[in-house]
Amino acid sequence: MKKFKVPKRKQPFFSIVKKIVSVTLWRGIEVINLAGDIPTKCIFVANHEKKKGPVAYELKLPVFNVKWGAHEMLGNYKSRWKYLRDVYYMKKQGYSKFRASFKATFEAIFSKMIYKGIKVIGTYQDARVRSSIENSIEVLENDMAVTIFAEDSNKGYFEEMTSFFAGFVMLSIQYYRKHDVDLPIFPVYYSHKKRKMIIAKPLYVQDFIKQGYDRYKIADIFKDEVNKLFYTYIKD
């Protein structure tokens, strides 16, 4: 595993790419900020909105943020191709093997550049998730925000999310243990179809721990808060 490097704030080449995409597929996005001023050091918990969400959050969230994403997409071409074909397109999108293979063959070529541009921390489904949390703490210590897509997308991406993984709760707890700071966590929802991004007021993990909730219950509360944004601002 390569040593993690905190992403650089200045990205001259990707800044040009961002300007191009902001006036093409991601043009006209309305940001509804219910939270007011947002600190540079915080956590965003957001829906993924397939492939479009991470780019939208890169373009429109008001503070510099680093995102969690599948570690396979930061690997070599074979690793990226296999993840795109088997997991993203076949498992999550329900594509046929031929169609998934065709799309993965081309997307795996430039996807690593995009992942690097939108600043992704690799995540894991096993004990190595500890490295994701440690790397995220380092990002936060450098006065940057972390965006986490907590939804369980094993059966695909849905407008209304059914469950959240609790990794973001563990990140908050670990940061609190190290720095005695309960970071604000902002629920966020993005709809590419409606061209809307809603940022809710922050919640704090320690408030829920004091009420006796475990990390799974806390994750469920945040899931409900993100879904509430969908029902209030997106659903017809």
Side-chain angles (χ1 to χ4, degrees), residues 102-160:
F102 180 80
K103 291 182 71 68
T105 297
F106 292 99
E107 290 186 22
I109 296 172
F110 55 82
S111 55
K112 187 173 183 178
M113 179 192 72
I114 295 174
Y115 264 57
K116 184 177 180 180
I118 64 174
K119 303 171 289 292
V120 171
I121 293 174
T123 57
Y124 301 85
Q125 298 294 321
D126 53 32
R128 290 175 295 174
V129 70
R130 184 179 353 177
S131 68
S132 304
I133 291 175
E134 291 173 351
N135 294 339
S136 298
I137 288 175
E138 188 174 352
V139 166
L140 292 163
E141 289 172 340
N142 278 271
D143 202 30
M144 301 174 182
V146 176
T147 299
I148 299 176
F149 310 106
E151 65 189 285
D152 181 354
S153 59
N154 285 323
K155 295 182 179 179
Y157 297 103
F158 303 98
E159 290 184 310
E160 179 185 0

Side-chain angles (χ1 to χ4, degrees), residues 65-78:
N65 65 103
V66 180
K67 301 152 196 71
W68 279 22
H71 73 93
E72 293 92 341
M73 292 300 292
L74 298 174
N76 57 26
Y77 177 86
K78 183 178 180 180

Side-chain angles (χ1 to χ4, degrees), residues 150-154 160-166 219-220 223 227:
E151 65 189 285
D152 181 354
S153 59
N154 285 323
E160 179 185 0
M161 284 148 285
T162 57
S163 64
F164 267 13
F165 293 117
D220 197 52
K223 181 260 296 178
N227 279 336

